[in-house]
Amino acid sequence: MNFTEIANLRQSCRKYDTERPIEEEKIKAILDAAILSPSACNGQPYHLTVCKGEIAEQVARSTKDLKINTFVHEAPVLIVISEKPYSKMAAVGAKIKNNDYRSIDIGIVAAYITAEATAQGLGSCIIGWLDSPRIQKICGIDETVRLVISLGYPLDEQRPKKRKAFDELVTIK
């Protein structure tokens, strides 16, 4: 599958097969792809915590509020992305250029995770509505949690993509 095929196929999965666990080699392939993602000064200012079983259930409960993310508990694997300090060079660049490179890098690693999940035949959803202090306590991590990515075998039907028109998003000069 090439990248465009992955991009066309990937969608936010909101219905997972609760009876089908994810094979360890697929999780490893996803994590290997994540490690390859680019970051400012190759600093990789994040940590990935893979959650399964009861820990995943607890983390899932920490993403549900106001009837949001009610599907997350169906996913057999959750990847918690927490923010780590900048590398020294990236910190200097962020200060000089007034740019939040960590958030950019975390977005890129999330894209790599979800793209590889699609290539592995899995569904995924990037979750930003979460209770960071609660997840930190559940996972035993000190850093702020920025995203949780749910992974599992999808039961969703493929939905048509709703995107802005090319001319609305792209200017060529």
Side-chain angles (χ1 to χ4, degrees):
M1 199 178 321
N2 69 39
F3 183 77
T4 302
E5 291 169 328
I6 291 169
N8 278 310
L9 189 57
R10 199 249 159 225
Q11 64 183 12
S12 292
C13 183
R14 292 189 172 82
K15 188 165 181 61
Y16 296 99
D17 185 343
T18 59
E19 301 299 314
R20 191 170 175 194
I22 301 173
E23 298 85 348
E24 290 301 316
E25 57 271 10
K26 290 188 177 192
I27 296 169
K28 175 88 166 66
I30 291 165
L31 297 171
D32 286 342
I35 289 167
L36 294 173
S37 71
S39 60
C41 302
N42 197 31
Q44 297 175 298
Y46 45 77
H47 184 81
L48 310 175
T49 303
V50 179
C51 303
K52 303 176 192 177
E54 179 54 34
I55 298 295
E57 268 296 319
Q58 290 177 40
V59 171
R61 284 193 293 273
S62 301
T63 67
K64 297 178 187 181
D65 192 13
L66 304 173
K67 299 191 182 200
I68 295 172
N69 300 326
T70 57
F71 61 91
V72 178
H73 71 279
E74 296 175 0
V77 174
L78 301 178
I79 297 178
V80 173
I81 304 176
S82 52
E83 183 178 274
K84 298 289 272 184
Y86 280 118
S87 67
K88 288 180 183 174
M89 185 61 84
V92 170
K95 185 145 181 86
I96 291 170
K97 292 299 182 181
N98 193 29
N99 204 344
D100 182 6
Y101 296 121
R102 282 184 297 197
S103 291
I104 295 166
D105 295 342
I106 287 169
I108 295 168
V109 77
Y112 270 55
I113 289 168
T114 58
E116 183 60 32
T118 300
Q120 294 293 326
L122 299 171
S124 62
C125 190
I126 302 169
I127 299 152
W129 184 276
L130 52 84
D131 183 338
S132 178
R134 189 170 164 198
I135 296 172
Q136 287 173 257
K137 185 175 180 182
I138 292 165
C139 294
I141 53 180
D142 296 328
E143 297 83 12
T144 300
V145 173
R146 293 297 179 199
L147 296 173
V148 172
I149 300 178
S150 59
L151 299 172
Y153 283 95
L155 293 177
D156 283 348
E157 296 294 322
Q158 188 68 28
R159 300 180 297 271
K161 297 233 182 245
K162 297 178 184 175
R163 299 293 189 263
K164 292 181 180 179
F166 184 90
D167 292 342
E168 192 176 346
L169 289 174
V170 178
T171 302
I172 300 174
K173 297 192 179 230

